[in-house]
Amino acid sequence: MRVMTAIRNIVILTGAGISAESGLRTFRAEDGLWEDHPVEEVATPEGFARDPALVQRFYDERRAQIRAAFPNPAHEALGRLDREFAGELLIVTQNIDDLHERGGARRVLHMHGEGLSAWCQACDARHRWEGALGDGPACPACGEVAMRPDIVWFGEMPYRMDEIFDALASADLFVSIGTSGAVYPAAGFVQQASANGARTLELNLEESLGSRNFDETRLGTASELVPAWVDEILRS
Ligand code: APR
């Protein structure tokens, strides 16, 4: 039997499911983004090299949708957790939207990049970007027309992995919210945290590919499950 001790260090992993109720489509559902667009076309460096206009159009659409969306009660609950939880916290998100930040969370790490960021391939500068990239704007830093979405595509290395593994090594609770567990390395975080002694909890609409790796799985919508879990943590 596991002895219950106070929770001091939480790592949270979020995926597209936490933003579904804000109107942003997930990837692998029947009406998901990858139903309409072959992954290789819009989410690989090779796809971008082949047809940059198509890829820019795809992310221009994503950017417009992010700007039109609002945080839902799940994002807001994590914002509250960030403000009120006295221990260590890291929210690692696979999402490219900024709904965690707009929901009030500060300790957020975007491992797959950010929809509202542009990355200049000529001078390596990154810029907050709210408009389109498809019409070939010049980089505000160097003037070249060479900006791509600041998104980690398949075959590219996710951002800030050292920080993530450090956090997983010292977490005493790992919580996964709204992710199908289909994409590595994020899908392996639960095993990593568990091996380091953390308790593991999954909050998801349905069983995921990794459900059996968690100590506990709660099924339901993020907007219901996340506020209830945050209440539990802040009361304990
Ligand atoms: N509340 C909670 N979970 C939900 C909700 C909801 N309202 N709606 C959907 N879900 C769950 C789905 O059941 C599914 O398990 O969210 C999960 C979403 O899974 P995916 O579409 O595979 O998204 P994600 O896990 O974030 O994908 C990971 O894949 O294509 C790449 O880079 C992309 O970051 C993305 C990565």
Side-chain angles (χ1 to χ4, degrees):
M1 198 174 80
R2 211 180 267 259
V3 179
M4 291 302 287
T5 51
I7 290 158
R8 295 200 185 82
N9 192 322
I10 305 175
V11 175
I12 297 171
L13 172 70
T14 67
I18 197 168
S19 296
E21 290 161 89
S22 293
L24 299 178
R25 289 161 76 188
T26 62
F27 296 94
R28 291 174 182 79
E30 255 172 39
D31 61 345
L33 275 171
W34 295 158
E35 287 269 291
D36 298 357
H37 305 271
V39 178
E40 312 74 48
E41 254 176 34
V42 295
T44 63
E46 294 77 18
F48 185 55
R50 224 171 6 245
D51 192 346
L54 172 92
V55 177
Q56 294 286 22
R57 216 165 35 241
F58 177 76
Y59 288 99
D60 283 352
E61 258 172 48
R62 306 275 79 71
R63 202 174 298 111
Q65 284 167 0
I66 290 169
R67 293 195 60 210
F70 291 94
N72 67 54
H75 300 105
E76 278 156 9
L78 294 186
R80 174 169 169 242
L81 181 71
D82 195 348
R83 280 191 305 280
E84 297 181 18
F85 179 63
E88 295 283 313
L89 172 72
L90 181 64
I91 300 168
V92 178
T93 187
Q94 300 169 89
N95 299 344
I96 62 169
D97 64 58
D98 62 348
L99 298 181
H100 282 307
E101 287 86 347
R102 285 199 270 144
R106 292 289 164 267
R107 292 174 271 182
V108 181
L109 186 165
H110 286 269
M111 66 178 289
H112 290 167
E114 294 182 60
L116 300 184
S117 176
W119 177 20
C120 178
Q121 299 301 278
C123 74
D124 204 34
R126 286 179 163 83
H127 305 282
R128 182 176 166 87
W129 209 265
E130 296 189 350
L133 286 175
D135 45 10
C139 168
C142 73
E144 295 289 325
V145 177
M147 292 200 292
R148 62 165 262 187
D150 190 6
I151 305 291
V152 177
W153 287 323
F154 287 95
E156 298 182 318
M157 180 63 84
Y159 294 153
R160 298 166 66 184
M161 289 305 294
D162 289 351
E163 272 172 77
I164 296 172
F165 279 112
D166 282 352
L168 290 171
S170 49
D172 42 41
L173 177 61
F174 173 78
V175 186
S176 169
I177 305 171
T179 176
S180 63
V183 175
Y184 282 82
F189 291 171
V190 57
Q191 282 151 314
Q192 189 74 34
S194 207
N196 292 329
R199 203 175 84 76
T200 57
L201 168 67
E202 176 180 45
L203 309 177
N204 208 44
L205 191 60
E206 59 200 357
E207 296 246 331
S208 73
L209 293 169
S211 286
R212 66 189 162 78
N213 296 317
F214 288 84
D215 295 320
E216 183 186 350
T217 293
R218 298 181 192 173
L219 300 182
T221 60
S223 68
E224 285 173 0
L225 293 178
V226 179
W229 170 72
V230 167
D231 278 347
E232 261 172 52
I233 290 290
L234 293 177
R235 264 202 315 266
S236 69

